[in-house]
Amino acid sequence: RMLIQLGTFDSQVCNGGITQYFWNRSDSIFDVSDWLEQLGVVELHANYERAMETLVGKKDEWLELRAEWVRGQNEPK
């Protein structure tokens, strides 16, 4: 599970950045934090934690934007 989630984290961040990862894989945000801490990658974990704090600070905006996006996905093209 650790390898799959960290591999997904890496590929999402390399492709579109941390915002893309948070957007696409919101189900594993906290797991990745735990894995980075367990692996002892101190600087990466600290940066990840700061990114999470920024996301939490904008939680209402984020959820509204995400809901709007989901509604758009359900509209016929």
Side-chain angles (χ1 to χ4, degrees), residues 9-22 24:
F9 168 68
D10 181 62
S11 66
Q12 290 285 313
V13 170
C14 287
N15 180 267
I18 192 74
T19 303
Q20 177 174 307
Y21 170 72
F22 286 159
N24 291 338

Side-chain angles (χ1 to χ4, degrees), residues 7-76:
T8 301
F9 168 68
D10 181 62
S11 66
Q12 290 285 313
V13 170
C14 287
N15 180 267
I18 192 74
T19 303
Q20 177 174 307
Y21 170 72
F22 286 159
W23 186 268
N24 291 338
R25 302 302 303 183
S26 59
D27 59 321
S28 60
I29 290 173
F30 296 104
D31 289 340
V32 166
S33 178
D34 293 342
W35 301 137
L36 296 174
E37 183 176 30
Q38 286 181 24
L39 290 172
V41 284
V42 176
E43 187 176 351
L44 179 56
H45 183 253
N47 289 334
Y48 187 84
E49 289 291 309
R50 278 196 296 280
M52 282 182 25
E53 288 172 15
T54 300
L55 174 64
V56 169
K58 297 179 180 181
K59 179 181 151 196
D60 292 338
E61 295 171 47
W62 185 267
L63 291 175
E64 184 178 323
L65 183 60
R66 187 138 171 77
E68 183 180 320
W69 177 78
V70 168
R71 281 191 302 273
Q73 295 298 308
N74 295 327
E75 293 177 6

